Amino acid sequence: MYQCTLRIRICGADAELENILRSVPPRERFEHVFVSGGPGPDCRDLEQDDVIFLQAGQISCLPEIRGAAKAGARIILLVPDPAEAAGLPDGIWDHIDDLWAGPCGAAALAARFGRLLDGLKLQRDSRLAHYYLDTVINATPSLIWFKDAAGAHLKVNDSFCRTVGKSKADIEGRGHYYIWDLKKEEYEKGEYVCLETDTVVMKEGKTRIFDEFVKSKQGMRQFKTWKSPLFDDDGRIMGTVGVAHDVTNLATMSAELELLLGSLPFAVMITDAEDHVVNINEKFKEFFAVADSDVLGGDCRMWRENALSGGRLVREEARAELRWTLNGREIVLDVQEQDILDVFSNRIGAIVIFRDVTLEREFERRLSRHANTDVLTGLYNRRYFYEHAQPGGTNGAESLLYVDLDHFKSVNDRWGHQAGDQALVTVAELLRASCPQAVVARLGGDEFALYWGDRPLDFLIRKAQLLVKLVREAFRSSEALRLIAPSIGIVRCDEAGLTLDELIRRADVAMYTAKRGKLGYCVYEPGLEKRSDEALRSGAPGDEGAHADS
């Protein structure tokens, strides 16, 4: 297809090297032209060379040579003395592509030159392959795309760009959500995304044909898509390639629609422009326990009103769903309705999809629960605590216990993290059981917080005394954990506008006062910070002292 002439220059008089290089046969579709001598004073004689061999004595000219050489030229420095090669400056690699350090025999030089020729041929063949690919896909009227395993578009053709109304630079590297201008709620509900079929192809590892709806700027479009997996050199699937043909044609819509309806996993109803039901799929009949005669020809809105009359509308964040009882089981029903447009963008009907999303919503609730709880202890985590333990009750009163475990670090260091985890789980169970009305959270490490609204101080002191007693008793018989005891800071205040961070800071001051004094617990009061600082300067006991009973 192509024929390439390589212009090879050997700077300096080196007839032996030239003879060796001439002995290496050109690669397929290549021929060689050898040039000796140079470079000239202004290096302009190098402008047409593809490969330039330089002698060690020409190192000082390298910047000028690289600047004068044409783009893509390979510059190779010949250094016959290995000791001299070792002393070359690091910056030399900014100007050369390879270093041939000698002394080398004729066979070695020929082998190196052969590898150089192979690399140049591979580079040229690769460029040609890209050109072939671009020419073929851009001449094809169907949409063609290549995606990675995560769904990002790596390459698309001109037809794809025209369909979505975006340039290749804007498309490549982006996902379906952005390219097709889907609304956030449509993408989250999986409508018109086409990602499920990509997953099927990658899972099965073979070409599959699909009928897919895509919501484009021109309205609903139906595509017949051929999708194939792409494999890397190790045989692993690294993405997919797809070819889509637009079959949005009124003359063939009925047959194509039947194929689509039969394969969809959702209950689907098709209506005409007057909202009369013209088609339902098998999943619809199975889901609602109806026959064709019960629904076809009837008014869609009237049927929905009667069939779903027992449901109640539930709004969760940005979506509206129907809680509905079917066969004695409450389900969450997602109802999506999309107009069907003709080629002139006139409404000729609608497609209504009923999805049972009960399991999805339950899974989302579980994820939310996991996001707000500490994995080890099951208590609320810091995120939840800061969202829900916010000061500002009706009377402004706030109550907080801040718990830190003494000797916890030494237990971890001596007995390992398994013993430390056991201690944290035990303390969490005691906190939860003894303070059921508090917001109880593990803030991190061995630090816990218990938050109430308005609670009297004597109530908080009794809770602190109880917790000190329960924790000590729980670990008393354990050789590994017997030294663990809590230090508790107590805060109870009526100040308006107090932030949660300030509340925790005060509790932290009281907790450290209890820890240094081996008190078990301490109530915060104004001036405690100053006394705490004075105690530190006077050398009061530190973190690892054993607590006395309060």
Side-chain angles (χ1 to χ4, degrees), residues 497-540:
L498 191 69
T499 66
L500 183 59
D501 284 329
E502 175 61 18
L503 200 65
I504 291 176
R505 188 194 68 80
R506 295 182 181 184
D508 187 59
V509 171
M511 181 272 291
Y512 274 105
T513 301
K515 184 183 290 287
R516 285 192 295 270
K518 305 178 184 178
L519 304 174
Y521 66 88
C522 176
V523 178
Y524 176 85
E525 57 186 23
L528 186 60
E529 293 94 333
K530 181 179 179 181
R531 295 198 298 274
S532 177
D533 292 341
E534 290 173 350
L536 281 175
R537 288 194 294 270
S538 65

Side-chain angles (χ1 to χ4, degrees), residues 190-409:
E191 300 293 340
Y192 319 123
V193 177
C194 303
L195 297 181
E196 291 179 352
T197 53
D198 292 346
T199 302
V200 170
V201 169
M202 289 189 289
K203 182 178 180 180
E204 296 183 359
K206 63 181 182 181
T207 301
R208 291 286 305 272
I209 302 175
F210 302 96
D211 291 289
E212 296 179 311
F213 278 140
V214 174
K215 189 176 182 182
S216 71
K217 292 182 180 297
Q218 295 79 34
M220 284 282 293
R221 311 302 296 174
Q222 185 176 350
F223 290 96
K224 177 78 74 173
T225 60
W226 289 258
K227 295 186 177 183
S228 300
L230 294 173
F231 298 87
D232 63 16
D233 291 340
D234 296 323
R236 294 173 298 195
I237 293 177
M238 60 180 181
T240 58
V241 57
V243 179
H245 182 62
D246 191 341
V247 294
T248 311
N249 188 308
L250 293 179
T252 61
M253 181 62 74
S254 178
E256 295 289 339
L257 190 59
E258 289 297 333
L259 292 174
L260 174 66
L261 292 179
S263 62
L264 285 177
F266 315 122
V268 180
M269 169 189 291
I270 304 295
T271 68
D272 61 17
E274 287 74 38
D275 290 323
H276 294 129
V277 180
V278 296
N279 208 339
I280 56 177
N281 67 350
E282 291 299 321
K283 196 69 177 180
F284 183 97
K285 291 182 277 189
E286 175 188 335
F287 189 79
F288 292 106
V290 295
D292 289 333
S293 58
D294 299 324
V295 182
L296 294 180
D299 185 274
C300 168
R301 303 191 184 280
M302 184 176 297
W303 178 88
R304 287 171 58 181
E305 192 174 309
N306 293 334
L308 308 178
S309 59
R312 56 188 176 88
L313 191 65
V314 175
R315 295 189 180 276
E316 295 183 359
E317 297 180 354
R319 58 175 177 252
E321 295 174 336
L322 190 68
R323 301 271 177 170
W324 187 60
T325 301
L326 178 66
N327 299 327
R329 179 176 72 96
E330 184 181 70
I331 62 174
V332 182
L333 194 64
D334 176 65
V335 183
Q336 290 288 320
E337 183 170 348
Q338 174 67 48
D339 287 343
I340 300 174
L341 308 178
D342 63 15
V343 293
F344 304 106
S345 296
N346 297 319
R347 182 182 183 275
I348 59 172
I351 177 171
V352 187
I353 301 176
F354 303 85
R355 286 201 308 139
D356 181 355
V357 293
T358 309
L359 293 179
E360 293 177 32
R361 299 299 170 258
E362 175 60 26
F363 183 65
E364 290 172 1
R365 283 191 288 272
R366 291 182 184 178
L367 286 179
S368 176
R369 199 159 51 239
H370 288 242
N372 292 320
T373 56
D374 176 59
V375 175
L376 176 64
T377 64
L379 297 179
Y380 292 123
N381 57 20
R382 177 183 288 271
R383 170 187 170 183
Y384 182 91
F385 186 77
Y386 268 81
E387 288 180 353
H388 292 80
Q390 289 296 334
T394 54
N395 57 6
E398 312 295 342
S399 307
L400 179 72
L401 297 186
Y402 194 78
V403 182
D404 182 86
L405 302 181
D406 299 337
H407 301 287
F408 180 77
K409 183 178 183 302

Side-chain angles (χ1 to χ4, degrees), residues 16-256:
E16 181 181 0
L17 175 63
E18 181 173 340
N19 290 334
I20 293 172
L21 301 186
R22 285 181 179 277
S23 69
V24 180
R27 279 13 184 190
E28 183 182 8
R29 291 191 290 273
F30 278 77
E31 61 181 12
H32 299 165
V33 173
F34 286 87
V35 182
S36 299
D42 57 0
C43 300
R44 293 181 61 85
D45 52 341
L46 309 181
E47 291 177 346
Q48 303 301 318
D49 298 332
D50 300 289
V51 181
I52 303 171
F53 288 92
L54 296 177
Q55 306 298 327
Q58 298 165 320
I59 291 178
S60 60
C61 301
L62 272 175
E64 292 78 13
I65 292 172
R66 173 54 76 184
K70 73 177 184 180
R74 302 292 183 93
I75 299 178
I76 299 168
L77 181 63
L78 303 170
V79 181
D81 186 356
E84 185 180 358
L88 292 175
D90 292 340
I92 195 173
W93 293 103
D94 295 334
H95 308 297
I96 67 173
D97 298 286
D98 202 358
L99 173 68
W100 289 13
C104 293
L109 290 173
R112 282 187 172 183
F113 187 58
R115 286 193 293 271
L116 173 64
L117 297 180
D118 290 338
L120 293 172
K121 183 178 187 305
L122 179 62
Q123 184 182 62
R124 181 62 62 94
D125 289 345
S126 177
R127 286 201 301 265
L128 188 62
H130 280 288
Y131 176 75
Y132 289 164
L133 177 62
D134 288 340
T135 302
V136 169
I137 66 175
N138 289 327
T140 304
S142 298
L143 281 66
I144 300 177
W145 64 91
F146 298 82
K147 294 183 186 178
D148 64 17
H153 291 67
L154 305 178
K155 190 178 189 67
V156 298
N157 69 342
D158 293 342
S159 293
F160 191 103
C161 295
R162 287 192 294 270
T163 301
V164 301
K166 292 181 173 66
S167 68
K168 291 180 181 178
D170 204 16
I171 292 171
E172 291 174 359
R174 306 301 292 267
H176 195 99
Y177 173 88
Y178 168 81
I179 292 171
W180 293 92
D181 295 324
L182 293 178
K183 296 179 180 177
K184 185 175 185 293
E185 56 268 26
E186 291 173 331
Y187 183 81
E188 290 174 345
K189 293 174 183 177
E191 300 293 340
Y192 319 123
V193 177
C194 303
L195 297 181
E196 291 179 352
T197 53
D198 292 346
T199 302
V200 170
V201 169
M202 289 189 289
K203 182 178 180 180
E204 296 183 359
K206 63 181 182 181
T207 301
R208 291 286 305 272
I209 302 175
F210 302 96
D211 291 289
E212 296 179 311
F213 278 140
V214 174
K215 189 176 182 182
S216 71
K217 292 182 180 297
Q218 295 79 34
M220 284 282 293
R221 311 302 296 174
Q222 185 176 350
F223 290 96
K224 177 78 74 173
T225 60
W226 289 258
K227 295 186 177 183
S228 300
L230 294 173
F231 298 87
D232 63 16
D233 291 340
D234 296 323
R236 294 173 298 195
I237 293 177
M238 60 180 181
T240 58
V241 57
V243 179
H245 182 62
D246 191 341
V247 294
T248 311
N249 188 308
L250 293 179
T252 61
M253 181 62 74
S254 178
E256 295 289 339

